[in-house]
Amino acid sequence: MIKNFSIKYRLPILIVAPSILVVGLVAIALFQNTKQNVNIVSVELANTVTAHVENNLRDYLSIPHTINQLNLQSITLGTLDPGNSTRLESYFWHQIQMFEGVTRLYFSNPEGEFRGATILESGEVGITRAGKTTNSTLMSYATTSEGQPTQIVQRTPNYDPRSRPWYQAALPSDRPIWSDIYRDFDSQELAITAAQVVKDPQGEVVGVLGVDLLFGQINEFLQTLTIGKTGQALIIDRQGLLIASSNPEVIAEAVESSGGLNIAESENQLIAAIAQSLLDELGSFSQVESTINSSFRWQRKKLYFQVKSFRDRLGLDLLIVAIVPEEDFMQQVQIQARITLVLEALILLAALGVGLGVSRWVLKPIFQFGEAANQIKSKSFDPQTLESLTERKDEVGELARVFVEMAVETGDRQQSLEEQLNLLNFQVSQSKDNPYELTALKKWQKKASCIRAVYDYHPHLPQLLAQVPYYQHLTSEQLRQLITNGKIKRFHVGDYICREDQPGDEFYTILTGSVRIFVEKINKPLVTLSTGKSFGELALMLGGTRTATAIAIEETTLFSINRLNFGKVLHQYPQMAEQIAQDLHRHQTELEERKQLLAEYGLLEENETDLLEQIKSRMKTLFNL
């Protein structure tokens, strides 16, 4: 389609198009690279969040067991007497204030006596008692600044610590254990208890140490995390029950749920969608062994999430989930895309300006040449049209000077032909009463018209033909006669000009374009000819059929003369035949290569040795010389 455009449009397009293409490709590559970086950053952020949560959770969960181990060691060394209730209460009261996040410290013996310290709803530190002295009622006391009990702030009747899950779970094991996660009666927060059995040197149970830990502090920690702009983090157990979350709304929903909140059934659609995605992929949460990175589209938004397994040495088994929405990072991509579009537009405008400027500078001489050509065509050429170009010192200036010379020469020739035609027409008008003279004049008028038609197409045809080896010794008049009897032929790309085994009755000279010569039977290329070259002379001058095929490989114009018209020229100028025979003989190498083939066609006698004489004889016979 671009071939149909004017060059004044094609050139700017060709100059601007590469810039547009490069800018477009760079923009696409940059955008894709940025999106890939978003993916990498999202995964890295999820890794950072889960690792941070894991470290904090591990530190937080290590505190209860550290307290139990310290207390067990104190009892073992005798610095803490579990039978001294007053001393035990004071010890726990001071100790609980040293560890953040711990809500209760306590000790219970096999007789059902319970002593400990607790964080009251008011935030103050209190002490707790149960057993015979309280008639099996768990009593919580406010305390003075020295840790002395004052008023009772809470009562829990029928409390027997020996029946509690943490007490029962600790008895069979000498190691620290975790209780199941449960909902704290007072705060309604999820909690867990670290328990440690205490035995005497004989292996008899002295009692059980316990530390209660609320997950409320983990919730507060998760809410302090920066996960993009709208990212979330949560902790669940292997059944999918929510333990902690950075989203206060989800925490409130979990508090309202009496049996615990399964995230797959959460009212928060995002968390429920992630849970369902995991269940669809794995079947159950228990299948997560280490770390899973995944992504999915939710409400036409892409989200990345990571699920990481958390296990400690005491058997606690949880999952940490980090959720990172892609849109939190796409804002930067969109900003960069807008900047890229602006830069692309600026580059496009600059390229367009440069393209138009360069094309105008390049095309100006072409338009001047075009104007001069139109003047030549209308026979009104003025050398001043190209004066500004002829003064240039570059290739354009040299071309302009040659163009002016050619235009002047062509104009002179056209004027000469016009004068001859006018003279002939005048003689024709004056010879109406003489039929013989009229016929002769019309014959010459026809020849002059043929010459003019050839000149109009290719004004330098005589000079071009004079370069052909077989025509080098022809005079101007002989060349003129040759041109009069020839034809101009045009061929498109892929057109066959002549084919092997066809009669060789034409001789061609290439005016424009190029031609490939090859042996068609074996598809063997011989040579490629361009402007000024000729072919087909052997078949024309020696007779017989073509020995090769010629095909146009671009738009090609040929000067053709057939055997009949060539014979007319030879009859009019007999000395020309001798000269051509001599020129053919100079190409003895080529003739020798084809000698056997020519002999097979009956064009040469194999038993004769004088090749020149054979050529002369063949031409005399062929052209009746």
Side-chain angles (χ1 to χ4, degrees):
M1 184 180 295
I2 196 171
K3 293 192 300 183
N4 300 324
F5 287 175
S6 170
I7 190 173
K8 66 180 180 181
Y9 301 120
R10 274 189 283 173
L11 189 59
I13 290 174
L14 292 175
I15 294 176
V16 174
S19 299
I20 298 175
L21 179 62
V22 170
V23 171
L25 292 176
V26 169
I28 293 173
L30 183 61
F31 183 75
Q32 292 298 328
N33 184 62
T34 304
K35 289 200 68 176
Q36 184 178 2
N37 289 338
V38 168
N39 296 346
I40 295 173
V41 169
S42 299
V43 173
E44 289 181 350
L45 177 59
N47 285 333
T48 301
V49 170
T50 55
H52 192 29
V53 172
E54 179 184 22
N55 292 335
N56 188 273
L57 184 61
R58 198 172 297 279
D59 292 342
Y60 188 66
L61 293 174
S62 68
I63 294 174
H65 291 289
T66 301
I67 295 173
N68 282 338
Q69 293 304 308
L70 289 172
N71 294 340
L72 177 63
Q73 186 177 20
S74 296
I75 294 173
T76 302
L77 295 175
T79 57
L80 179 63
D81 183 6
N84 188 337
S85 300
T86 303
R87 172 76 179 122
L88 202 59
E89 290 175 353
S90 177
Y91 180 84
F92 286 148
W93 186 87
H94 286 89
Q95 190 178 48
I96 198 172
Q97 299 179 62
M98 299 171 59
F99 296 94
E100 186 178 0
V102 176
T103 57
R104 294 185 185 89
L105 299 175
Y106 45 83
F107 174 81
S108 179
N109 62 25
E111 287 75 33
E113 293 298 324
F114 179 91
R115 296 292 183 273
T118 184
I119 302 297
L120 301 174
E121 290 184 9
S122 63
E124 297 179 352
V125 180
I127 60 174
T128 55
R129 297 173 184 170
K132 294 180 181 181
T133 58
T134 63
N135 197 21
S136 298
T137 299
L138 180 63
M139 312 288 284
S140 298
Y141 297 87
T143 60
T144 65
S145 58
E146 288 79 22
Q148 299 300 317
T150 56
Q151 61 182 351
I152 300 172
V153 295
Q154 186 175 353
R155 291 183 177 88
T156 305
N158 301 319
Y159 181 81
D160 187 352
R162 295 169 295 182
S163 64
R164 304 300 294 173
W166 54 269
Y167 190 94
Q168 294 294 325
L171 288 178
S173 175
D174 291 333
R175 299 179 58 202
I177 60 97
W178 285 112
S179 70
D180 292 334
I181 297 175
Y182 59 91
R183 188 176 300 281
D184 182 66
F185 180 80
D186 295 331
S187 66
Q188 292 300 304
E189 292 183 10
L190 293 179
I192 192 170
T193 297
Q196 171 70 59
V197 67
V198 181
K199 295 182 180 180
D200 61 16
Q202 289 74 36
E204 296 296 328
V205 175
V206 176
V208 175
L209 291 166
V211 178
D212 290 350
L213 194 67
L214 296 179
F215 283 97
Q217 189 169 347
I218 295 296
N219 287 328
E220 294 175 2
F221 163 71
L222 294 180
Q223 292 171 21
T224 63
L225 296 177
T226 301
I227 311 173
K229 290 186 176 181
T230 59
Q232 300 184 45
L234 50 122
I235 301 172
I236 61 175
D237 67 10
R238 289 289 176 167
Q239 285 71 47
L241 295 177
L242 183 72
I243 305 301
S245 173
S246 62
N247 189 335
E249 296 178 359
V250 178
I251 296 172
E253 182 184 358
V255 170
E256 295 174 0
S257 177
S258 59
L261 176 64
N262 191 310
I263 63 170
E265 300 171 356
S266 173
E267 295 178 0
N268 187 296
Q269 296 181 4
L270 171 59
I271 292 178
I274 290 176
Q276 192 59 50
S277 176
L278 277 172
L279 291 174
D280 292 342
E281 182 176 350
L282 302 175
S284 69
F285 296 108
S286 60
Q287 299 299 316
V288 180
E289 292 298 329
S290 55
T291 302
I292 294 177
N293 288 295
S294 187
S295 64
F296 73 107
R297 301 200 72 84
W298 176 74
Q299 295 184 351
R300 294 183 294 182
K301 298 176 182 179
K302 188 173 183 180
L303 298 108
Y304 300 90
F305 66 90
Q306 182 179 99
V307 182
K308 188 171 186 178
S309 174
F310 174 87
R311 293 185 176 95
D312 71 352
R313 59 185 180 84
L314 301 178
L316 189 62
D317 192 1
L318 302 174
L319 296 176
I320 302 171
V321 182
I323 306 167
V324 182
E326 184 187 56
E327 66 177 356
D328 288 359
F329 301 93
M330 284 304 294
Q331 183 178 3
Q332 183 63 33
V333 176
Q334 294 167 355
I335 293 174
Q336 190 169 12
R338 286 193 289 268
I339 293 174
T340 302
L341 288 175
V342 171
L343 291 176
E344 185 174 353
L346 293 176
I347 293 175
L348 177 60
L349 291 175
L352 186 60
V354 171
L356 292 176
V358 171
S359 61
R360 183 177 180 182
W361 177 73
V362 172
L363 293 176
K364 185 177 179 181
I366 296 177
F367 292 151
Q368 289 181 266
F369 281 123
E371 183 182 354
N374 289 330
Q375 290 178 357
I376 294 174
K377 186 176 180 180
S378 62
K379 302 176 185 178
S380 59
F381 176 70
D382 183 1
Q384 298 296 323
T385 304
L386 301 178
E387 183 178 8
S388 61
L389 299 182
T390 57
E391 295 175 353
R392 292 174 57 161
K393 303 299 183 181
D394 56 4
E395 292 81 356
V396 174
E398 183 178 353
L399 177 62
R401 289 187 288 273
V402 172
F403 192 95
V404 169
E405 293 175 2
M406 292 173 56
V408 172
E409 183 178 351
T410 301
D412 292 344
R413 291 186 178 183
Q414 288 179 338
Q415 183 177 359
S416 176
L417 285 174
E418 288 291 339
E419 291 174 354
Q420 293 180 34
L421 288 175
N422 292 334
L423 178 60
L424 289 172
N425 289 331
F426 175 75
Q427 291 177 349
V428 169
S429 63
Q430 296 295 320
S431 305
K432 293 181 180 179
D433 298 331
N434 189 338
Y436 175 78
E437 186 176 354
L438 180 61
T439 300
L441 287 172
K442 285 185 175 181
K443 177 181 178 182
W444 286 108
Q445 187 181 35
K446 180 181 179 180
K447 291 184 177 181
S449 297
C450 291
I451 293 173
R452 182 177 179 183
V454 172
Y455 279 146
D456 286 343
Y457 180 79
H458 204 296
H460 291 280
L461 183 57
Q463 292 89 330
L464 186 60
L465 292 179
Q467 298 176 12
V468 178
Y470 309 114
Y471 303 151
Q472 286 179 349
H473 301 288
L474 298 184
T475 64
S476 298
E477 184 59 32
Q478 290 171 336
L479 285 173
R480 188 187 301 275
Q481 183 67 23
L482 188 69
I483 292 171
T484 304
N485 288 278
K487 292 181 179 179
I488 302 296
K489 291 188 175 183
R490 300 175 179 85
F491 295 87
H492 300 294
V493 177
D495 287 350
Y496 285 95
I497 300 169
C498 60
R499 312 212 36 187
E500 58 189 82
D501 297 329
Q502 290 181 346
D505 55 358
E506 284 187 283
F507 175 35
Y508 303 97
T509 300
I510 302 174
L511 301 181
T512 61
S514 56
V515 175
R516 178 174 291 127
I517 309 296
F518 65 99
V519 179
E520 192 173 1
K521 292 178 181 177
I522 59 175
N523 195 25
K524 178 182 178 181
L526 298 178
V527 68
T528 299
L529 304 176
S530 57
T531 302
K533 302 297 182 180
S534 57
F535 60 94
E537 69 280 8
L538 290 178
L540 175 70
M541 298 179 187
L542 300 181
T545 58
R546 304 284 185 190
T547 60
T549 295
I551 187 172
I553 58 175
E554 58 179 303
E555 297 295 321
T556 301
T557 305
L558 304 177
F559 174 76
S560 167
I561 185 167
N562 60 27
R563 181 178 290 114
L564 178 63
N565 288 324
F566 195 70
K568 291 179 182 180
V569 176
L570 294 181
H571 276 285
Q572 189 170 359
Y573 302 100
Q575 70 277 15
M576 181 177 173
E578 177 66 25
Q579 187 62 54
I580 290 176
Q582 293 288 345
D583 289 335
L584 281 174
H585 184 252
R586 291 192 186 95
H587 293 75
Q588 187 170 355
T589 301
E590 183 180 359
L591 290 174
E592 288 292 343
E593 292 176 354
R594 302 192 188 182
K595 184 175 181 182
Q596 183 178 358
L597 184 60
L598 294 173
E600 290 177 1
Y601 282 101
L603 303 180
L604 295 176
E605 299 294 335
E606 291 187 13
N607 56 352
E608 293 189 19
T609 58
D610 192 341
L611 185 60
L612 179 59
E613 290 303 320
Q614 291 185 60
I615 294 172
K616 290 180 179 180
S617 174
R618 185 64 185 170
M619 290 181 65
K620 288 178 181 179
T621 302
L622 192 61
F623 296 106
N624 271 329
L625 299 177

